[in-house]
């Protein structure tokens, strides 16, 4: 039966990541958030009640809800990023639940790379520790503009305002060196649910909102660049079917700016000029396309365009270079090889590159540049210079995450070893 | 610049992301395939694939791993839809795998062919030389699924290693592999059950009738209503009852639970889903075998 009806709730979407040291109560916080937003289903709750009982635990261990792998349950720690979903009437949330453990920092980078907001959890008794600094630095480096610092385990310090203010002050003095425009502080007890969904009566001195209210209402600055028009060609649509023999469309997702039919465009790297004749979708042509829409563009002239090329506006073009400086976060046990060759993926383009120079490494604790030891190992972050086999068309990561990010792939193992942000 | 005008709804964002992933699959793999079961998630995924390549036809075939224990409504629907959109459907039969002696049918009251599908799937992937298999799995379905990447690397035995997943950053998907290895790709990873229903409604997608409330002979087993079919062994102490039910998820008829519902329109289903207190897979007998049953099956090459 074909069904009619166009009823659709207009909700917006917030992608956020959690970070925090081991035992700061991150899994409990997430469990609590899901429990109190009624995202946990009865059968899931029964399953974790049963598991908690088997493990001889006194209370229902909400962390068991999020630790989905056998090895994680065995060790009681989160190893890999997991994605969780919940919704309130106006907003849908995608939560990248990232591990706090130092040896899995790379997974935290993975989880945070697509996030618009980060929750950083701090144990009020321990205050700002190395992992807090490391995660906050990564959050800043990844261009996340909103941070909510949850100062947890307030129940263990008698809900002391003084202790809260102390940690807050420490955090603010550290974070002044990191570029994060908006920071909220919320005193919470994840275990008991204080200030998670409802405002807690135990902390009348706290005038702010609960965590969930903050997440629901934070006005997230768009992560997209609507100014610089960038359309990396992903796939060429050439139907070999009746009625469409002459159709030639360039499919892709808009990485920046706004495109309209009639716009004068230039195709990189060829430099040929043309005009957009139409922007097509399955449901018909559209009047404009902007990030992150997936569309198919047609141009007035027949030009040779393939995957990896980029359609841009005549009067606003990206940088086109082969020598590129970037901040790299290393994700593999095998250290970065100076002069090593790697396969690189940038937008829809695959190329090769050689690492020309390691300029410095960052000391995550002090945020100082380390120039006497330039070996980039697992979880290290540093600045490198690469030379690519063919020119890339890019913007700085600060300006456009889509055209400013790249990954390095080890050619022997095919694994993704580096996450790069172009400077 | 005023960016208020440039806001998309959550369904538009999810759709754009999925189409992007699907196009990456068509671009990065030599011989991709779309796993299609006729269930609601694969119907949504198929629709997204059509959107991704419009006005061209799909640049890959569909593969249905057929346990032989189907609901008739699903197979009838599958064949009609495939014909309508001019797609190329390959069916791999679990029965053939059993006949060839590669797997043995389970015995006992709870016998199911669900686990046997893995061998049939891996054989079909190898035989047809597929190097990228897309499927409609969602991360919200199950806790082991919540851990999976969009691009999930499988070794030459088709195995998943949860401790050795490739980091997946931004929208940069790495599909490089050695000969004999393949990838599983999950373009609708970020969709929830509710998103699927809202999207089906928005896009006016047709579904097999068993998703809507109807009368059916059922038996209750391990707290789950199972539809009576020729493939279900009914124990002496089990009573067949006529129930008004619908299905939330459709798989092998021997382990897919029906549940009592009068929801017969999409509006009613959406209202119902928003108040349900059990997970979608709560009705899947195969998940209840142990705490890590999904993880273990996935490691072995299950979808």
């Amino acid at each position: 039966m074909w069904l009619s009806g166009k009823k659709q709730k207009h909700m917006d979407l917030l992608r956020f990541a959690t970070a925090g040291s081991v035992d700061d109560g991150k899994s409990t916080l997430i469990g609590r958030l899901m429990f109190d937003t009624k995202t946990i289903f009865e059968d899931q709750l029964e399953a974790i009640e049963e598991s908690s009982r088997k493990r001889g635990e006194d209370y229902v261990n909400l962390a068991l809800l999020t630790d989905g792998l056998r090895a994680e349950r065995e060790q009681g720690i989160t190893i890999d990023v997991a994605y969780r979903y919940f919704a309130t009437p106006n907003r849908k949330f995608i939560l990248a639940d990232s591990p706090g453990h130092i040896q899995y920092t790379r997974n935290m980078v993975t989880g945070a790379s697509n996030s618009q907001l980060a929750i950083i959890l701090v144990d009020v008794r321990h205050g700002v520790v190395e992992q807090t600094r490391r995660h906050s630095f990564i959050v800043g480096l990844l261009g996340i503009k909103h941070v909510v610092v949850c100062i947890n385990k307030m129940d263990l310090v008698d809900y002391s305002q003084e202790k809260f203010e102390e940690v807050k002050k420490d955090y603010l003095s550290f974070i002044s060196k990191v570029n994060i425009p908006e920071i909220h502080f919320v005193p919470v007890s994840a275990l008991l649910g204080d200030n998670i969904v409802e405002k807690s009566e135990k902390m009348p001195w706290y005038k702010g909102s609960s965590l969930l209210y903050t997440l629901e209402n934070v006005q997230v600055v768009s992560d997209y660049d609507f100014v610089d028009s960038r359309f990396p060609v992903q796939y060429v649509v050439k139907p070999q079917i009746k009625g469409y023999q002459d159709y030639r469309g360039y499919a892709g997702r808009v990485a920046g700016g706004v495109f309209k039919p009639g716009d004068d465009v230039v195709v990189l790297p060829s430099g040929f000029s043309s005009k957009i004749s139409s922007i097509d979708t399955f449901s018909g042509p559209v009047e404009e396309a902007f990030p992150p829409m997936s569309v198919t563009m047609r141009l007035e002239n027949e030009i040779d365009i393939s995957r990896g090329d980029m359609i841009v506006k005549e009067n606003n073009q990206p940088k086109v270079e082969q020598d590129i400086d970037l901040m790299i976060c290393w994700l593999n046990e095998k250290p970065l090889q100076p002069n090593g060759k790697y396969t690189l993926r940038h937008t829809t383009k695959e190329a090769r590159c050689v690492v020309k120079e390691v300029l410095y490494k960052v000391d995550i604790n002090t945020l100082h540049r380390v120039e006497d030891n330039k070996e980039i190992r697992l979880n290290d972050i540093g600045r490198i210079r690469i030379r690519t086999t063919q020119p890339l068309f890019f913007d700085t990561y600060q300006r456009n995450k889509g055209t400013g990010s790249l990954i390095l792939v080890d050619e022997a193992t095919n694994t993704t070893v580096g996450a790069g942000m172009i400077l | 610049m005023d960016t208020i005008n440039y806001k998309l709804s959550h369904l538009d964002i999810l759709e754009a992301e999925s189409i992007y992933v699907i196009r990456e699959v068509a671009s990065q793999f030599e011989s991709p395939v779309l796993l299609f079961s006729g269930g609601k998630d694969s119907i949504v995924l198929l629709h997204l694939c059509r959107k991704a390549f419009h006005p061209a036809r799909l640049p890959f075939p569909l593969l249905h791993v057929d346990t032989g224990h189907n609901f008739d409504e699903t197979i009838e629907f599958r064949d009609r839809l495939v014909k309508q959109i001019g797609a190329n459907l390959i069916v791999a039969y679990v029965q053939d795998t059993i006949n060839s002696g590669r797997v043995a049918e389970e015995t006992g009251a709870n016998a199911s062919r669900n686990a046997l599908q893995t061998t049939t799937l891996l054989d079909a992937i190898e035989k047809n030389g597929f190097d990228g298999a897309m499927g409609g799995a969602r991360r919200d379905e199950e806790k082991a699924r919540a851990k999976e990447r969009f691009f999930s690397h499988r070794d030459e035995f088709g195995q998943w290693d949860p401790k050795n997943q490739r980091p997946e950053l931004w929208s940069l998907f790495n599909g490089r592999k050695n000969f004999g290895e393949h990838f599983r790709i999950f373009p609708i990873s970020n969709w929830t059950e509710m998103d699927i229903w809202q999207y089906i409604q928005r896009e006016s997608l047709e579904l097999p009738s068993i998703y809507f409330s109807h009368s059916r002979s059922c038996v209750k087993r391990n707290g789950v209503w199972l539809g009576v079919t020729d493939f279900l062994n009914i124990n002496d102490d089990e009573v067949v009852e006529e129930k008004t039910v619908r299905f939330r998820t459709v798989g092998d008829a021997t382990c897919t639970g029906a549940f009592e519902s009068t929801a017969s329109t999409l509006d009613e289903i959406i209202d119902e889903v928003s108040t349900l207190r059990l997970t979608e897979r709560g009705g899947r007998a195969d998940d209840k075998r142990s705490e890590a049953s999904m993880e273990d099956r996935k490691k072995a090459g299950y979808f």
Side-chain angles (χ1 to χ4, degrees):
Chain A
M1 92 196 76
W2 280 95
L3 297 142
S4 61
K6 293 273 172 226
K7 197 175 113 182
Q8 187 218 332
K9 280 202 91 156
H10 199 94
M11 295 204 288
D12 71 6
L13 183 63
L14 179 75
R15 296 180 201 242
F16 71 105
T18 52
S21 200
V22 191
D23 296 329
D24 278 350
K26 196 160 50 62
S27 296
T28 311
L29 176 91
I30 293 164
R32 174 61 61 185
L33 213 44
M34 294 178 73
F35 184 75
D36 288 355
T37 53
K38 302 194 167 39
T39 309
I40 299 182
F41 291 96
E42 279 167 18
D43 50 329
Q44 288 174 313
L45 196 61
E46 276 167 26
I48 62 170
E49 277 168 0
E50 170 77 17
S51 299
S52 303
R53 218 172 15 249
K54 277 189 197 160
R55 294 159 64 107
E57 291 166 342
D58 286 344
Y59 57 95
V60 176
N61 187 345
L62 288 175
L64 289 174
L65 187 79
T66 57
D67 288 338
L69 301 175
R70 207 184 269 282
E72 292 178 325
R73 287 188 296 271
E74 281 162 11
Q75 298 171 42
I77 56 167
T78 314
I79 294 174
D80 208 338
V81 186
Y83 294 87
R84 323 252 161 235
Y85 304 84
F86 62 95
T88 56
N90 301 315
R91 200 168 249 185
K92 175 188 157 91
F93 298 93
I94 300 181
L95 158 58
D97 173 10
S98 325
H101 204 274
I102 194 157
Q103 70 188 99
Y104 301 114
T105 299
R106 59 179 162 172
N107 291 329
M108 191 250 154
V109 176
T110 295
S113 70
N114 285 317
S115 294
Q116 298 153 290
L117 177 147
I119 292 184
I120 292 186
L121 212 61
V122 180
D123 184 327
V124 67
R125 298 167 307 166
H126 305 142
V128 174
V129 296
E130 186 184 337
Q131 276 302 76
T132 318
R133 282 193 282 264
R134 182 185 285 268
H135 286 159
S136 300
F137 174 70
I138 292 171
V139 161
L141 187 70
L142 285 167
I144 295 176
K145 300 185 182 83
H146 310 267
V147 164
V148 180
V149 182
C150 281
I151 300 181
N152 191 23
K153 307 200 181 180
M154 290 300 295
D155 54 310
L156 299 182
V157 294
D158 293 329
Y159 301 100
S160 153
Q161 179 177 11
E162 209 178 308
K163 289 274 196 307
F164 169 77
E165 296 294 345
E166 209 174 284
V167 176
K168 180 174 167 181
K169 198 173 135 224
D170 274 0
Y171 189 87
L172 283 171
S173 75
F174 151 74
I175 206 71
S176 61
K177 295 176 205 157
V178 178
N179 179 25
I180 297 173
E182 190 182 306
I183 305 176
H184 302 262
F185 293 88
V186 187
V188 303
S189 163
L191 188 66
L192 303 177
D194 290 301
N195 285 337
I196 303 292
V197 170
E198 301 292 336
K199 286 248 352 223
S200 170
E201 287 166 11
K202 294 170 193 139
M203 291 173 269
W205 47 266
Y206 172 66
K207 303 295 177 212
S209 329
S210 72
L211 172 62
L212 184 67
Y213 187 90
T214 307
L215 293 175
E216 267 190 289
N217 291 285
V218 63
Q219 288 294 318
V220 177
V221 179
S222 176
D223 271 345
Y224 296 111
D225 168 10
F226 292 102
V227 178
D228 310 303
S229 299
R230 308 284 184 255
F231 187 75
V233 175
Q234 197 184 2
Y235 186 90
V236 181
V237 179
K238 277 183 301 179
Q240 301 296 320
I241 53 173
K242 241 170 116 180
Y244 289 100
Q245 290 91 338
D246 297 326
Y247 188 98
R248 191 182 174 82
Y250 306 103
R253 188 155 63 152
V254 182
V258 182
F259 289 92
K260 292 179 177 151
D263 282 349
D264 291 316
V265 293
V266 171
V267 180
L268 299 173
S270 69
F272 285 125
S273 297
S274 189
K275 204 184 266 287
I276 299 174
S277 57
S278 76
I279 300 174
D280 298 343
T281 70
F282 183 83
S283 323
V286 291
E287 282 309 302
E288 57 183 9
F290 51 87
M293 286 169 71
S294 284
V295 295
T296 300
M297 247 181 227
R298 279 193 287 163
L299 302 182
E300 282 186 357
N301 315 49
E302 281 271 328
I303 0 182
D304 179 25
I305 304 178
S306 48
R307 174 173 165 86
D309 292 355
M310 193 183 279
I311 297 173
V312 302
K313 294 274 183 72
E314 195 131 39
N315 54 5
N316 177 337
Q317 301 198 17
K319 290 187 200 168
V320 182
E321 279 168 34
Q322 279 175 273
D323 292 292
I324 299 166
D325 272 20
L326 42 109
M327 292 302 285
I328 191 104
C329 177
W330 203 248
L331 312 169
N332 202 265
E333 285 79 6
K334 196 162 110 191
L336 173 93
Q337 306 292 310
N339 294 312
K341 294 188 177 70
Y342 295 92
T343 294
L344 160 162
R345 298 196 76 90
H346 171 254
T347 66
T348 56
K349 200 179 185 70
E350 186 175 289
R352 295 182 76 211
C353 72
V354 59
V355 177
K356 299 297 276 186
E357 195 183 348
V358 176
L359 296 141
Y360 59 82
K361 206 158 91 167
V362 178
D363 181 322
I364 309 280
N365 282 311
T366 58
L367 302 187
H368 290 153
R369 297 172 179 187
V370 182
E371 288 173 27
D372 51 347
N373 169 8
K374 293 182 180 171
E375 195 181 35
I376 307 261
R377 294 172 163 276
L378 178 65
N379 296 322
D380 279 344
I381 291 166
R383 178 171 180 158
I384 65 170
R385 184 166 294 156
I386 57 170
R387 180 166 177 82
T388 56
T389 48
Q390 40 181 308
L392 300 189
F393 331 118
F394 63 90
D395 300 283
T396 61
Y397 183 80
Q398 282 274 331
R399 192 161 182 104
N400 188 321
K401 285 188 185 182
T403 54
S405 58
L406 58 81
I407 56 170
L408 299 184
V409 177
D410 183 294
E411 296 186 335
T413 61
N414 290 327
T415 191
T416 304
V417 290
M421 288 147 272
I422 301 174
L423 293 163
Chain B
M1 171 176 274
D2 182 15
T3 57
I4 298 296
N5 297 327
Y6 300 120
K7 273 202 138 176
L8 298 175
S9 74
H10 76 292
L11 289 181
D12 291 327
I13 293 171
L14 291 173
E15 178 188 76
E17 176 180 79
S18 299
I19 291 175
Y20 173 82
V21 175
I22 292 162
R23 287 170 173 168
E24 279 305 290
V25 172
S27 306
Q28 291 198 32
F29 297 99
E30 291 276 328
S31 180
V33 67
L34 172 64
L35 297 187
F36 183 78
S37 66
K40 68 180 189 312
D41 298 321
S42 64
I43 289 167
V44 165
L45 180 55
L46 176 61
H47 184 64
L48 291 164
C49 287
R50 293 181 69 200
K51 287 198 168 193
F53 305 106
H54 175 82
R57 290 212 184 94
L58 300 185
F60 38 73
L62 273 48
L63 172 66
H64 182 206
V65 176
D66 187 337
T67 63
H69 291 173
N70 301 294
F71 295 103
D72 295 339
E73 296 92 331
T74 319
I75 298 298
E76 180 272 328
F77 177 87
R78 177 196 79 185
D79 293 338
R80 195 155 45 84
L81 184 59
V82 163
K83 198 171 161 207
Q84 184 192 323
I85 65 170
N88 170 16
L89 173 74
I90 300 168
V91 182
Y93 295 95
V94 170
Q95 188 61 53
D96 291 346
T97 317
I98 295 170
N99 294 347
S100 70
R102 302 256 297 119
V103 294
E105 188 109 57
E106 284 188 351
T107 53
N110 292 323
S112 159
R113 289 183 166 184
N114 196 46
L116 308 185
Q117 288 180 72
T118 301
T119 307
T120 311
L121 170 63
L122 291 172
D123 287 354
I125 286 173
E126 197 175 322
K127 183 177 150 216
N128 293 282
F130 295 131
D131 60 351
M134 276 184 279
R138 309 188 322 263
R139 286 174 179 148
D140 79 324
E141 281 178 72
E142 209 276 339
K143 59 194 170 191
R145 289 245 197 259
K147 296 273 170 182
E148 198 144 19
R149 308 279 195 251
F150 277 96
F151 271 43
S152 173
H153 178 257
R154 302 297 166 118
D155 67 13
E156 68 268 38
F157 299 103
Q159 297 178 117
W160 180 59
D161 180 359
K163 281 189 178 173
N164 190 28
Q165 298 200 78
R166 289 183 182 173
E168 198 163 83
L169 301 115
W170 302 290
S171 303
L172 296 167
F173 299 110
N174 171 8
R176 290 176 70 96
K177 64 195 172 310
N178 291 321
F179 185 75
E181 299 173 346
H182 73 276
F183 272 79
R184 303 287 172 85
I185 306 100
F186 307 104
I188 58 166
S189 285
N190 278 334
W191 297 54
T192 61
E193 184 184 12
M194 183 56 105
D195 299 328
I196 292 285
W197 283 113
Q198 288 180 346
Y199 190 73
I200 286 169
Q201 185 179 51
R202 185 181 95 167
E203 302 286 310
S204 304
L205 299 183
E206 197 183 359
L207 288 182
S209 57
I210 62 173
Y211 281 108
F212 301 91
S213 176
H214 59 281
S215 180
R216 180 176 294 266
S217 304
C218 298
V219 291
K220 194 154 208 171
R221 184 176 296 169
N222 301 329
V224 176
W225 285 109
L226 293 177
V228 174
T229 56
D230 295 345
F231 330 110
L232 194 72
N233 306 321
I234 296 169
N235 302 333
D236 294 341
D237 57 345
E238 286 173 328
V239 186
V240 176
E241 288 178 62
E242 203 62 19
K243 304 300 285 186
T244 300
V245 295
R246 66 177 197 88
F247 290 86
R248 265 171 104 182
T249 159
V250 172
D252 187 291
T254 59
C255 64
T256 303
F259 78 107
E260 296 185 80
S261 165
T262 55
S264 57
T265 65
L266 283 176
D267 274 336
E268 285 168 6
I269 289 177
I270 288 170
D271 285 345
E272 186 179 81
V273 168
S274 67
T275 59
L276 286 176
R277 297 302 307 135
L278 290 179
T279 55
E280 186 179 283
R281 295 194 78 94
R284 289 288 279 260
D286 46 331
D287 287 345
K288 298 199 159 177
R289 293 187 172 190
S290 95
E291 191 173 34
S293 50
M294 171 74 92
E295 179 183 348
D296 294 342
R297 274 180 290 144
K298 276 157 55 69
K299 280 180 185 162
Y302 182 77
F303 215 82

